[in-house]
Amino acid sequence: MSAFRRVALLQSHPRTPVWHDFYVPDLVELAGLAAVIRPLVEEVAIPVGPTDRDPLPAFERYLRRHRPDLVGISSFTCGANSAQRYAALARRHGAVVVMGGYHPSALPEEVLACPDVDVVVCGEGETTFAELVRTGSPDGVAGVS
């Protein structure tokens, strides 16, 4: 077992909706992370989907009911603001917050300046995130800021 028992994974929502009929948001990236850490934790959940109409209140309801130890947030730059709002909610409910994805990988210092973010995973994060979940600390884990 790992240092964390319950993990929630989220993908930040873009500031404005994408209006192209051919664009279908997916959770493939989060599903891959979930598959890698599943053997290490008691529970892993993706509580908010990319098409949810009101994701922040839905996430807060999830936090109240499930109390995750760790919240991992993946973010593109267009979703950086919602990622910070997710981080603030998670922190308020006592979770450790890890951010990854394109935006945090490109600007880790900026993301770490957010007081609600504990760790940034840079680049392809499956192995790094799994090691972080297993050990419970970023000390000695390659690929984190």
Side-chain angles (χ1 to χ4, degrees):
M1 243 345 144
S2 75
F4 298 103
R5 293 179 26 233
R6 294 177 306 280
V7 177
L9 300 173
L10 301 161
Q11 187 169 20
S12 64
H13 287 72
R15 191 171 171 174
T16 57
V18 179
W19 297 108
H20 303 289
D21 290 339
F22 60 84
Y23 178 75
V24 178
D26 62 48
L27 297 173
V28 171
E29 163 187 320
L30 295 185
L33 284 174
V36 170
I37 66 167
R38 180 65 192 114
L40 303 173
V41 299
E42 288 178 20
E43 177 186 318
V44 61
I46 302 173
V48 179
T51 58
D52 286 355
R53 297 260 186 243
D54 210 3
L56 290 169
F59 180 52
E60 189 157 31
R61 283 190 301 276
Y62 169 82
L63 289 168
R64 274 190 249 118
R65 289 185 191 126
H66 296 275
R67 296 279 191 210
D69 306 305
L70 176 101
V71 173
I73 304 166
S74 178
S75 177
F76 287 99
T77 300
C78 64
N81 290 335
S82 73
Q84 287 183 352
R85 287 192 294 273
Y86 284 133
L89 284 173
R91 167 71 72 232
R92 214 171 316 149
H93 287 271
V96 171
V97 177
V98 177
M99 275 202 199
Y102 290 105
H103 185 76
S105 292
L107 299 166
E109 294 84 14
E110 177 184 295
V111 174
L112 284 170
C114 174
D116 300 311
V117 177
D118 297 299
V119 179
V120 167
V121 172
C122 296
E124 296 294 322
E126 288 85 355
T127 303
T128 302
F129 189 65
E131 184 67 11
L132 183 63
V133 167
R134 190 182 65 71
T135 62
S137 168
D139 297 337
V141 176
V144 298
S145 294

